[in-house]
Amino acid sequence: MTVEQVESWSEGIAGLHARFARRFGRSEPRDRALDYMTGLLAPLEKKNGWTLAEQVGQLRPDGVQRLLNHSEWDEDAVRDDVRDFVMETIGTKDGVLVGDDTGFLKKGVKSAGVQRQYSGTAGRTENCQIGTFLAYASPKGRALIDRELYVPKSWTDDRDRCRAAGIDDTVPFATKIEHLKWMLQRAIDAAVPFAWVTADEAYGQVKHFRAWLEERRVAYVLATKVNDTVTTTDSRDARVDELIAALPKQAWKRLSAGAGAHGQRIYHWARVAIRPFWKDGYGHWVLARRSLADPTEISYYVCHGPVASLLKDLVKVAGARWQVEECFQTAKGECGLDHYQVRLYRAWYRHITLAMAVLAYLTAVRAAEAAKGAAEMTSTT
């Protein structure tokens, strides 16, 4: 991102900031939030308190720290305003909600929720915090619309430690599955337009989560492990890999799961109806993705959706899951999502929310530019 782009976009981001200006109790934190968002857009190697303060002409990071730690403002209301902005700019009825978590490497033991735990970001066990996120993906773009900080039992079992990090006694231990349920329920209650939910196998293999979605008539394509079992028509439990292995050769179709960094993501795909009777117009399938280069490399999905859903529809949703990874990459690389230096629980939410707002703004700009380019191309043909 060039300096010229930042200067231009910082003017535009004031419009997004104005949407949630009422969420701040006083003018000082309100103005500081706009400075903070502008700083997150800047081409800085590190976007922490010191560098963001310097970017807006402050000698010390005191104002930035006060904004995140002590100022009076409602970060959850800002989150909702950001979500509404995303819906206005890229929302479509065929949108996909994508759940996933990401790690934030940390030093020390005082940052809220930090401990040695597995981080998919690092690919190993590290001292880190884990955030659970909900992304929204549509043909117009993708952005993060909700977030929760994972607070392990090692913390919730030690309330003195929690209080020192600003974690209220009312904050319970909650799994990442419960986080995703909370975020999906908020999206449903807010009438977010979407057609499907997708997530990786850490979420997809949890049967009570699948049942929770079905109770709400939410269609899903969820990755799962090779030895997961599903209930078939004759009320027996069958392994997903065995159901797929029984399919004839012609059941496999060569399809793209969408464009990636290196072109179309093309695989062989197949599905099998696991309960070929329909309830309220919805049915269930097992979906499989097979590598073109190595036919023994197969990934599995459990699916629930409208009876009219085609194989290509399920493939499209499965492919949409990668868009949350692209959200993380952009948010960390361009919006400072992982550059924070805060310890308090509420400060984490505040930084993450403002970084999500910046990502939403960039998403809107890119969607507008894409629409303009498409219109210009149409007018010349």
Side-chain angles (χ1 to χ4, degrees):
M1 189 186 307
T2 66
V3 174
E4 289 75 16
Q5 283 177 313
V6 172
E7 290 175 348
S8 173
W9 291 358
S10 64
E11 295 177 5
I13 204 169
L16 173 55
H17 172 265
R19 295 172 66 103
F20 52 76
R22 69 189 186 282
R23 307 301 187 182
F24 296 83
R26 298 174 58 248
S27 61
E28 188 271 342
R30 180 171 62 245
D31 295 343
R32 188 76 66 186
L34 178 56
D35 287 343
Y36 195 88
M37 293 165 64
T38 302
L40 290 177
L41 274 172
L44 303 172
E45 183 178 353
K46 289 293 182 181
K47 299 176 181 179
N48 54 43
W50 281 100
T51 59
L52 293 179
E54 291 171 355
Q55 178 68 23
V56 295
Q58 302 295 317
L59 298 178
R60 294 182 55 81
D62 300 30
V64 169
Q65 293 170 351
R66 190 161 54 250
L67 170 71
L68 299 180
N69 291 311
H70 305 299
S71 295
E72 181 185 345
W73 60 285
D74 188 340
E75 60 275 8
D76 286 344
V78 172
R79 171 205 62 201
D80 294 345
D81 292 334
V82 171
R83 178 198 62 215
D84 293 345
F85 174 76
V86 171
M87 295 310 108
E88 289 179 20
T89 52
I90 66 167
T92 61
K93 64 181 181 180
D94 59 346
V96 179
L97 293 174
V98 191
D100 202 0
D101 51 81
T102 189
F104 301 90
L105 300 182
K106 288 292 162 185
K107 296 179 181 179
V109 297
K110 294 185 177 181
S111 297
V114 71
Q115 71 170 14
R116 284 191 60 78
Q117 53 194 326
Y118 180 78
S119 167
T121 308
R124 59 185 181 274
T125 298
E126 289 281 0
N127 196 63
C128 64
Q129 293 169 300
I130 299 292
T132 313
F133 289 83
L134 186 65
Y136 184 86
S138 82
K140 296 181 179 181
R142 54 191 177 269
L144 301 173
I145 63 170
D146 210 340
R147 72 288 181 265
E148 291 288 349
L149 176 63
Y150 176 64
V151 182
K153 281 189 174 181
S154 63
W155 278 78
T156 56
D157 288 346
D158 186 347
R159 284 298 166 180
D160 288 338
R161 187 186 186 193
C162 283
R163 294 183 197 110
I167 304 173
D168 192 86
D169 288 354
T170 59
V171 175
F173 169 74
T175 66
K176 301 179 189 74
I177 292 291
E178 290 170 306
H179 284 172
L180 185 51
K181 287 181 180 179
W182 296 349
M183 294 187 291
L184 287 170
Q185 190 62 58
R186 287 195 287 261
I188 293 169
D189 292 344
V192 168
F194 73 96
W196 297 86
V197 167
T198 187
D200 68 20
E201 69 175 45
Y203 301 88
Q205 68 183 341
V206 180
K207 294 182 179 180
H208 67 78
F209 175 57
R210 300 186 326 227
W212 183 90
L213 291 170
E214 291 174 26
E215 288 169 2
R216 288 157 180 77
R217 288 177 55 84
V218 173
Y220 62 73
V221 175
L222 300 170
T224 194
K225 56 187 179 180
V226 63
N227 61 346
D228 192 9
T229 59
V230 292
T231 304
T232 59
T233 307
D234 53 4
S235 299
R236 68 182 179 89
D237 287 339
R239 284 177 51 133
V240 294
D241 59 338
E242 294 174 351
L243 289 170
I244 293 297
L247 289 173
K249 182 179 179 180
Q250 59 267 30
W252 292 92
K253 306 297 181 183
R254 183 185 172 108
L255 295 168
S256 171
H262 304 290
Q264 293 294 318
R265 296 185 174 105
I266 299 175
Y267 299 90
H268 283 135
W269 297 84
R271 70 169 176 173
V272 57
I274 53 176
R275 292 194 287 281
F277 55 87
W278 312 108
K279 180 180 179 182
D280 299 327
Y282 277 63
H284 297 79
W285 302 268
V286 169
L287 174 70
R289 184 192 77 202
R290 189 176 70 190
S291 167
L292 299 181
D294 181 2
T296 65
E297 185 181 311
I298 303 176
S299 298
Y300 300 91
Y301 304 80
V302 282
C303 311
H304 167 256
V307 60
S309 301
L310 304 175
L311 174 61
K312 65 178 183 179
D313 299 323
L314 304 183
V315 169
K316 181 180 177 182
V317 179
R321 193 193 69 77
W322 291 310
Q323 297 198 50
V324 71
E325 301 293 346
E326 293 166 341
C327 282
F328 291 149
Q329 182 178 1
T330 302
K332 291 180 178 182
E334 298 186 30
C335 309
L337 187 76
D338 60 343
H339 291 197
Y340 61 88
Q341 293 179 329
V342 297
R343 290 181 176 177
L344 297 182
Y345 181 72
R346 193 174 185 185
W348 184 89
Y349 279 91
R350 289 179 162 187
H351 166 80
I352 295 297
T353 300
L354 293 177
M356 285 168 48
V358 172
L359 176 64
Y361 176 69
L362 294 181
T363 298
V365 169
R366 289 163 181 163
E369 291 176 346
K372 180 181 178 181
E376 291 175 349
M377 184 175 295
T378 301
S379 66
T380 59
T381 57

